[in-house]
Amino acid sequence: MKINKHYQNGVIKSIPKKWSDEEILKLLELKKQGKSFDYISNLLNRTSYSCNRKYYNLMKKLDTYNDKHRDLKYKYNKEFLKKINPSTILDVFSGGISWYKKNTNVDVIDNDLKVDGADFKLDAIDFLHKYRKHKFDIVDLDPFGSAFDCFDFALNIAEKGLIITFGEIVGRRFNRQDYVEHRYNINYIDEFNTNKLSQYIEKRGLIFRKKLTPIIIAEMTNISRVYYKIEHFNYGNSGCKYFKKKQNKFDWFINQENEKRKFKNGLKYIDIKNSFKQTKLFDDDFNACDSGHCGL
């Protein structure tokens, strides 16, 4: 396959090949016939990954991507609601009017940046930042792709349950762990699985004094969706000899998380450097815990 390249600052960079209308129609036709992306890529003289991403983006625009999994997702939603019995839900990527609004009597606030009909049309981080000082029984993160940047806000807001769709799991099909490598500490394709992604969330929850227990794990072709039950605990009741230090560090950490957007708006380098230093001290304190409840 020929790849167009150009030089920029002494570095060779590839130029994405533009998709023609004819190629797009051929892609859709072949997928409708059930052909694999490997098969299609050979016909279109493109990489399998390129064909997959193009198809993904097309289906996302048509709001039909993962259609075959929606009934299953809604079934698990109903099961989870019965177990948690929430009064309030924050639906961060609702895809228009939230499913919860249409199918439950729960008080729901929904948001979607690209689809009309929700209460808000904000970037997910901006939406969560807006409600950072509120509490909701359930927070649902169901993005196209990854919700990684939303995790800390969601953990802080959620009281009884948290639902996360791991769209990054699709990378496993193409032996690509570059996105998850530094975020989830996944260094080998063999450990790139739903359990490993979930372990990161469960560990992260401890920072917010919340124990997350997966009670439903739905693994589908391109996504995994995990439903967590949340239990609160107090480090002071765990017999932890580092409790006072942890409490101070925890209060500092939450403040940093709630104000994390400021780091994108020109804080001095020394402030950011000090922040990372304090975060490391915070983690070290938790790692030193001998109670077994709050070691990260």
Side-chain angles (χ1 to χ4, degrees):
M1 181 180 67
K2 183 179 179 181
I3 300 177
N4 295 323
K5 297 181 178 180
H6 74 289
Y7 288 90
Q8 181 177 328
N9 298 327
V11 178
I12 299 177
K13 294 191 175 183
S14 60
I15 303 173
K17 180 183 174 184
K18 187 176 180 180
W19 283 79
S20 67
D21 292 340
E22 183 180 352
E23 286 179 312
I24 291 173
L25 290 174
K26 192 67 175 177
L27 171 64
L28 294 173
E29 179 185 346
L30 291 171
K31 281 306 296 178
K32 191 174 182 180
Q33 295 173 11
K35 303 298 184 182
S36 69
F37 287 116
D38 287 338
Y39 176 86
I40 297 172
S41 65
N42 288 328
L43 288 180
L44 298 182
N45 194 29
R46 290 180 175 273
T47 65
S48 177
Y49 181 76
S50 172
C51 292
N52 178 277
R53 296 308 299 174
K54 185 62 179 179
Y55 184 75
Y56 167 85
N57 289 330
L58 289 169
M59 294 300 99
K60 187 165 65 170
K61 287 181 180 179
L62 296 172
D63 195 29
T64 58
Y65 193 71
N66 284 324
D67 252 359
K68 59 184 178 181
H69 301 313
R70 287 189 178 180
D71 289 342
L72 188 60
K73 180 176 74 172
Y74 297 152
K75 173 190 172 185
Y76 289 137
N77 284 356
K78 291 177 181 178
E79 290 181 13
F80 188 64
L81 293 182
K82 288 181 180 178
K83 294 177 183 292
I84 301 300
N85 191 27
S87 299
T88 56
I89 296 176
L90 192 68
D91 195 350
V92 183
F93 301 89
S94 62
I97 301 175
S98 173
W99 175 88
Y100 299 105
K101 282 186 176 179
K102 298 176 182 177
N103 295 275
T104 73
N105 294 320
V106 179
D107 185 11
V108 180
I109 296 179
D110 52 10
N111 171 73
D112 199 284
L113 178 62
K114 297 182 178 180
V115 184
D116 295 331
D119 295 320
F120 294 91
K121 201 170 184 180
L122 299 173
D123 172 81
I125 293 294
D126 291 332
F127 177 63
L128 286 166
H129 189 264
K130 178 181 179 67
Y131 283 96
R132 68 191 185 281
K133 295 183 180 180
H134 296 73
K135 298 297 179 183
F136 289 80
D137 289 340
I138 291 177
V139 175
D140 189 336
L141 302 176
D142 187 21
F144 285 113
S146 175
F148 184 87
D149 293 338
C150 301
F151 290 163
D152 285 342
F153 278 125
L155 285 166
N156 191 31
I157 295 170
E159 287 287 281
K160 292 184 177 181
L162 176 64
I163 309 171
I164 297 177
T165 297
F166 294 101
E168 49 268 79
I169 203 74
V170 70
R172 186 176 57 183
R173 296 178 60 192
F174 303 97
N175 292 325
R176 293 178 63 104
Q177 74 262 21
D178 45 329
Y179 180 83
V180 299
E181 182 175 0
H182 299 295
R183 292 170 175 83
Y184 296 93
N185 193 29
I186 294 176
N187 299 306
Y188 304 99
I189 198 67
D190 291 342
E191 62 180 12
F192 186 2
N193 53 53
T194 303
N195 285 337
K196 186 70 173 180
L197 299 177
S198 182
Q199 285 172 12
Y200 175 86
I201 298 298
E202 294 168 48
K203 178 188 277 190
R204 200 74 185 162
L206 297 176
I207 296 176
F208 298 88
R209 290 177 286 193
K210 295 175 181 178
K211 178 183 177 183
L212 273 66
T213 303
I215 59 176
I216 300 175
I217 300 176
E219 295 186 295
M220 307 169 203
T221 304
N222 298 305
I223 61 172
S224 294
R225 187 163 163 85
V226 183
Y227 297 74
Y228 300 93
K229 178 182 178 181
I230 294 176
E231 297 175 87
H232 297 252
F233 64 89
N234 191 322
Y235 294 126
N237 297 329
S238 67
C240 175
K241 64 183 180 182
Y242 296 94
F243 170 67
K244 185 172 290 187
K245 286 182 70 177
K246 289 177 190 298
Q247 189 70 41
N248 292 337
K249 295 292 184 183
F250 177 80
D251 292 339
W252 174 88
F253 183 82
I254 291 298
N255 182 62
Q256 294 300 310
E257 289 300 298
N258 286 339
E259 300 298 327
K260 67 193 299 184
R261 297 288 283 177
K262 290 183 179 179
F263 285 96
K264 296 183 179 180
N265 297 321
L267 278 185
K268 295 179 181 178
Y269 172 75
I270 190 65
D271 294 327
I272 298 175
K273 188 175 180 180
N274 287 338
S275 170
F276 287 137
K277 181 179 178 181
Q278 288 296 316
T279 301
K280 185 179 185 306
L281 290 174
F282 176 83
D283 289 339
D284 288 345
D285 287 342
F286 271 69
N287 286 328
C289 177
D290 59 358
S291 69
H293 286 82
C294 44
L296 296 182

